[in-house]
Amino acid sequence: MIKNKTGVAVPLSALKTESSPVVGEFASLKEFADFASSANLSVIQLLPVLDTGAQSSPYSSLSAFALHPMYIQISALSSFKKCYENDSSFKKTYDDFISHKKDERFDYDYIVRTKEFLLQKIWSRTIFTGNDISDRAKELYAFIEENREWLPLYCVYKKFKQDYMQASWKSWKKEHQNLSKEQILELWNDKSLNQYHYFYAWEQFVAFNQFKEAADYVRKLGITLKGDLPILLNEDSCDVWCCPEVFNQKCKAGSPPDGDNPTGQNWGFPCYDFPTQEKDNFAWWRLRIKLAAKFFGAYRLDHIPGFFRLWTIPDGESTAEMGHTEPFAPISEAQLLKAGFSKERIRWLSQPHIPTEDFIRLIGNPETTREIMGLVCDRIGWEELWLFKASIKTEADIRKINLDKYGIDHSIQVEIFNRLCAWWKNRTLIEVSKNKFAPMWKYYETRAWNTLSQGEKDILGGMFYEVSQRQEELWQAQAEKIFTALINESDMVPCGEDLGVYIPCMEKVLDKCGILGLKVIRWCRKWEKVNQPFVSLLTYRKLSIVTTSVHDSSTLREWYDEEIKRIGIPAENLSPEHFFEKNDIDSFGVDTRNVHFTPELVPETAQLLMETFAKTNGAWFVNPLQDWLYLDSKYYAPDSKTERINVPGSVTNFNWTWRMPVLVEKLAENKNLIEKIKKIAEIHSAAEK
């Protein structure tokens, strides 16, 4: 039986210590673990710490295995002093770095560039001379040998990235885009390139050693260090480049249309080829787990629904509307014919029939209209109806055509493309492969569906229902195979981000595999009821990590302030029932007479919320550092919005660059805050009984 634990979630980069004042580093974990231990926190949860290159998002990895060099503590390296005393450019760069402005956000690009310069300096001046590695040579060679499955491939990839000015590998010369693993290893073994390749190996050697030392320190304090394994990798990553068998690069991953995203989400990350991975029992994934176990006592699998099924979108589509689940249970042409749909009717359902009239009204001239339509469509006999040409495979093929010669205004050209693309997606069935179909996610909005008789709709709707039932069996079988392989690879506690998508079998599979799910309290509500009351904290699945916020949400403070406004009742008139389930108030003994809510969050209210939430049935209660700091008003930023980690759907320098507002050492001196946190941890520990 898993024991109750209370913890803190924080990006490693956000830690601020006396020895790492600019950005959090692996070594910073030691000081932070001392603080956590003093507050009786037994879990420290990190965001991913993998190399993301020029991308500040920790979920946009260049490698599934390589650590981010940004977290290396330069001053801890054995050759640091020699470089600092004998190289004026090194000294100036390092001094400028340490004194770099220390705002509430850090400058990701500057930090990455500067650390790379300093590491290159140390390597070239004190470690590598000609073809002989001098410092800690045996240890480095042993590290390379131990990580031979991935490290040489990564080093060659990084050298190419440097040569191509960090451009995506898909824009490299063709002969460098499609190298086999054997060819990549030939480059690795080229002695003339040793100085470059071995630098990246040494960089990882240093990162692994520093992280391992810090992780061991955390473990000795009895604290579980929890890592984060992103499910998807950036298309421009070493693994997609050198391990094509792991991925299905013909598709991109995303999520289907919903109320907030009517065209779905296309994340741009390549999908996995899980059937191929199954042939070696998911060796690539097991290697990820094996390496993670060097540092972590628990790990978070990002986007758990994706292990059951991925929403796969053909490469070339800008939205997610033309996607389907993978695996999927197809509807065959033979099934449709047997159900009474003729081949012509199947074509009507699966291929948009575009009326000329729709474009004549836009373009004006009938002959010009037909000529433009002929660029991407074939006319059906003498009818004023058109079908897309067989050569048009995705939306991108439509947008390749050139309309400049027709003298049409740019705004009209844009509308022509938009309208053609809208028609492209206006189909009831998607032909995923020859004579195998999947229902369009929003099939009920399509032209073809709305021309069917009620009887035809009933027949087709019944087929869609049968498909959904068969698909769930496929999804469950796939997830169980993957999870079994991963869980058996280590003793780490498996955790999963199971938000966003309802899959009926998901909780059953997580229970069977012993995977902790995620409960974000503000989202655990009876949304269909008046005032959207909260679900009882006592009904949460025991195998849950319960939290007040996540890195993609607002903080507790920002949410509380917005919630007060949403409710629309003066704060002094609010009751605990606006924030807790009614039965919980009685069960937990919340004194409704002495609870006074305020228009904006204050430490007393934060403490009430946290102490009550801590009584959850969920095994782990792990909250972002920001939400713990709200127990003391001195750590409040003037604007609560600046305390967020990330704003989904935006790409700015703001995202992923939050820094804690106080040095860890100073935080450790705040006895009042520590006692408040200890009390909450004790409440959660007692809830286990």
Side-chain angles (χ1 to χ4, degrees):
M1 184 67 178
I2 190 164
K3 289 188 173 294
N4 278 16
K5 292 186 177 220
T6 303
V8 56
V10 64
L12 179 58
S13 55
L15 299 182
K16 187 164 61 175
T17 67
E18 291 175 357
S19 57
S20 301
V22 182
V23 67
E25 297 169 326
F26 293 125
S28 310
L29 276 171
K30 295 180 182 180
E31 288 91 345
F32 190 71
D34 287 336
F35 160 74
S37 179
S38 69
N40 284 357
L41 294 174
S42 51
V43 177
I44 296 176
Q45 175 179 319
L46 301 178
L47 291 185
V49 291
L50 300 173
D51 185 3
T52 60
Q55 301 290 325
S56 62
S57 169
Y59 294 95
S60 189
S61 306
L62 287 184
S63 168
F65 310 104
L67 298 176
H68 205 313
M70 176 177 76
Y71 300 122
I72 293 173
Q73 189 175 64
I74 303 289
S75 60
L77 298 179
S78 59
S79 301
F80 167 78
K81 185 177 179 181
K82 184 187 297 185
C83 282
Y84 187 80
E85 292 175 348
N86 297 296
D87 187 327
S88 58
S89 66
F90 181 96
K91 181 180 186 304
K92 183 179 187 311
T93 301
Y94 182 78
D95 288 344
D96 289 345
F97 175 76
I98 290 298
S99 61
H100 187 66
K101 61 179 182 178
K102 301 172 180 64
D103 299 330
E104 60 190 18
R105 318 300 289 195
F106 63 84
D107 187 337
Y108 177 84
D109 292 338
Y110 168 78
I111 290 168
V112 170
R113 287 196 314 270
T114 303
K115 285 209 171 183
E116 190 76 354
F117 171 82
L118 295 171
L119 288 167
Q120 288 273 9
K121 278 278 190 180
I122 290 177
W123 171 253
S124 62
R125 291 182 64 87
T126 65
I127 297 189
F128 203 105
T129 306
N131 286 327
D132 296 320
I133 300 176
S134 56
D135 210 18
R136 303 182 71 180
K138 291 182 179 179
E139 292 180 64
L140 175 57
Y141 286 137
F143 175 77
I144 293 171
E145 186 59 35
E146 184 181 351
N147 294 279
R148 187 159 290 280
E149 290 176 88
W150 66 273
L151 185 58
L153 305 172
Y154 166 79
C155 294
V156 175
Y157 169 80
K158 289 283 282 189
K159 171 63 167 59
F160 274 132
K161 287 286 284 183
Q162 181 181 355
D163 292 345
Y164 284 103
M165 306 293 289
Q166 305 305 319
S168 166
W169 66 265
K170 290 205 166 185
S171 67
W172 299 352
K173 292 178 181 178
K174 289 294 182 184
E175 61 265 31
H176 294 155
Q177 289 183 30
N178 302 307
L179 293 173
S180 66
K181 286 184 180 176
E182 290 73 20
Q183 290 172 315
I184 297 172
L185 292 176
E186 284 181 17
L187 290 171
W188 164 258
N189 291 321
D190 185 340
K191 290 188 177 181
S192 68
L193 299 174
N194 276 1
Q195 182 170 350
Y196 308 102
H197 293 154
Y198 275 56
F199 164 71
Y200 296 112
W202 168 79
E203 202 174 46
Q204 287 302 304
F205 169 67
V206 170
F208 268 64
N209 282 337
Q210 289 194 0
F211 193 21
K212 184 68 165 59
E213 181 182 338
D216 287 347
Y217 184 87
V218 174
R219 187 178 293 110
K220 286 178 182 177
L221 291 176
I223 296 174
T224 299
L225 188 62
K226 180 186 170 195
D228 193 337
L229 301 184
I231 181 175
L232 299 169
L233 289 185
N234 195 318
E235 182 177 55
D236 179 26
S237 65
C238 173
D239 300 84
V240 178
W241 172 64
C242 70
C243 303
E245 70 280 1
V246 172
F247 302 90
N248 177 2
Q249 296 188 53
K250 295 179 181 178
C251 296
K252 296 291 185 286
S255 61
D258 58 31
D260 295 328
N261 301 283
T263 61
Q265 296 181 56
N266 186 336
W267 300 328
F269 294 130
C271 296
Y272 288 113
D273 185 344
F274 282 131
T276 297
Q277 290 187 37
E278 186 182 349
K279 294 175 182 177
D280 62 9
N281 194 26
F282 307 98
W284 183 83
W285 274 100
R286 287 187 291 109
L287 180 58
R288 293 186 72 179
I289 297 295
K290 180 181 176 181
L291 287 183
K294 292 178 180 291
F295 314 109
F296 303 115
Y299 62 98
R300 172 186 181 271
L301 288 172
D302 181 39
H303 190 53
I304 278 286
F307 292 95
F308 289 80
R309 94 293 176 274
L310 279 172
W311 186 253
T312 60
I313 308 154
D315 191 15
E317 298 290 337
S318 63
T319 71
E321 295 162 280
M322 289 292 289
H324 69 280
T325 63
E326 191 63 50
F328 79 107
I331 299 173
S332 69
E333 182 183 68
Q335 288 175 289
L336 290 166
L337 290 170
K338 186 177 180 180
F341 294 94
S342 66
K343 289 198 173 186
E344 291 74 19
R345 205 64 168 150
I346 295 170
R347 188 184 74 177
W348 173 255
L349 291 166
S350 62
Q351 296 186 46
H353 289 56
I354 310 170
T356 313
E357 179 185 6
D358 191 41
F359 285 85
I360 287 179
R361 290 198 301 267
L362 177 64
I363 299 170
N365 185 305
E367 291 306 314
T368 303
T369 299
R370 293 187 182 96
E371 189 174 340
I372 290 173
M373 295 289 289
L375 296 175
V376 292
C377 297
D378 293 321
R379 191 171 174 181
I380 304 175
W382 293 101
E383 295 184 70
E384 292 295 345
L385 282 175
W386 303 76
L387 299 174
F388 282 103
K389 293 178 179 293
S391 59
I392 303 296
K393 304 297 184 184
T394 67
E395 180 184 333
D397 296 327
I398 297 172
R399 295 190 180 276
K400 288 177 184 176
I401 65 173
N402 189 344
L403 300 180
D404 291 341
K405 69 176 182 179
Y406 297 101
I408 300 172
D409 288 346
H410 176 70
S411 60
I412 300 297
Q413 288 192 35
V414 170
E415 180 57 28
I416 291 171
F417 281 120
N418 289 343
R419 196 168 295 188
L420 282 169
C421 290
W423 272 109
W424 172 252
K425 300 163 190 170
N426 195 335
R427 62 186 82 203
T428 303
L429 296 173
I430 299 173
E431 190 171 14
V432 178
S433 58
K434 188 170 179 59
N435 296 330
K436 291 185 178 180
F437 302 90
M440 191 81 172
W441 187 260
K442 297 169 75 173
Y443 65 85
Y444 48 85
E445 294 183 0
T446 63
R447 181 191 188 203
W449 173 264
N450 286 296
T451 64
L452 298 179
S453 67
Q454 188 57 51
E456 289 175 313
K457 288 180 180 179
D458 290 343
I459 293 170
L460 204 53
M463 297 177 79
F464 292 170
Y465 177 76
E466 289 176 11
V467 160
S468 69
Q469 297 298 107
R470 283 189 285 135
Q471 282 185 162
E472 188 179 336
E473 294 176 6
L474 295 175
W475 300 345
Q476 180 174 343
Q478 174 172 281
E480 287 183 353
K481 289 174 186 174
I482 298 171
F483 293 152
T484 299
L486 302 193
I487 290 166
N488 289 338
E489 191 62 35
S490 81
D491 293 328
M492 292 187 291
V493 178
C495 312
E497 186 270 293
D498 54 345
L499 304 175
V501 180
Y502 174 70
I503 297 176
C505 65
M506 186 155 62
E507 187 170 303
K508 178 173 67 176
V509 173
L510 296 185
D511 280 339
K512 180 179 178 180
C513 297
I515 298 174
L516 277 70
L518 182 62
K519 296 289 186 184
V520 184
I521 295 168
R522 70 181 72 172
W523 296 333
C524 294
R525 306 176 81 151
K526 301 171 185 176
W527 296 103
E528 73 285 357
K529 294 195 174 182
V530 177
N531 295 327
Q532 300 170 341
F534 287 85
V535 172
S536 170
L537 293 158
L538 296 173
T539 65
Y540 286 8
R541 176 173 169 259
K542 183 63 181 177
L543 288 178
S544 293
I545 297 176
V546 181
T547 187
T548 48
S549 314
V550 293
H551 58 262
D552 279 338
S553 77
S554 57
T555 62
L556 178 66
R557 177 185 170 204
E558 185 183 355
W559 170 76
Y560 174 88
D561 294 352
E562 292 298 324
E563 188 73 0
I564 291 289
K565 295 174 186 175
R566 186 191 71 81
I567 294 171
I569 298 174
E572 60 270 18
N573 295 335
L574 287 175
S575 74
E577 291 181 27
H578 287 99
F579 291 94
F580 313 120
E581 199 268 341
K582 191 175 187 310
N583 290 333
D584 287 353
I585 296 173
D586 299 330
S587 301
F588 299 156
V590 177
D591 188 347
T592 58
R593 296 166 301 175
N594 296 322
V595 174
H596 301 288
F597 290 99
T598 50
E600 295 181 346
L601 188 71
V602 295
E604 293 74 22
T605 309
Q607 187 168 352
L608 167 69
L609 294 173
M610 296 286 251
E611 287 182 0
T612 307
F613 294 157
K615 297 173 182 177
T616 174
N617 185 60
W620 287 10
F621 184 50
V622 181
N623 304 304
L625 177 60
Q626 297 97 308
D627 292 0
W628 287 115
L629 295 183
Y630 293 145
L631 296 172
D632 190 328
S633 60
K634 76 172 70 168
Y635 303 127
Y636 286 34
D639 183 355
S640 62
K641 290 182 173 60
T642 65
E643 296 168 324
R644 290 187 66 140
I645 300 294
N646 179 50
V647 180
S650 66
V651 181
T652 68
N653 291 334
F654 174 90
N655 287 340
W656 311 110
T657 59
W658 177 76
R659 305 174 73 239
M660 58 189 295
V662 57
L663 287 171
V664 173
E665 291 87 349
K666 292 294 183 184
L667 194 63
E669 296 172 2
N670 190 332
K671 303 303 181 185
N672 184 47
L673 174 67
I674 288 171
E675 288 305 311
K676 287 181 179 181
I677 297 174
K678 285 174 72 173
K679 181 180 179 182
I680 294 167
E682 288 168 4
I683 289 171
H684 184 57
S685 179
E688 185 176 40
K689 302 168 185 175

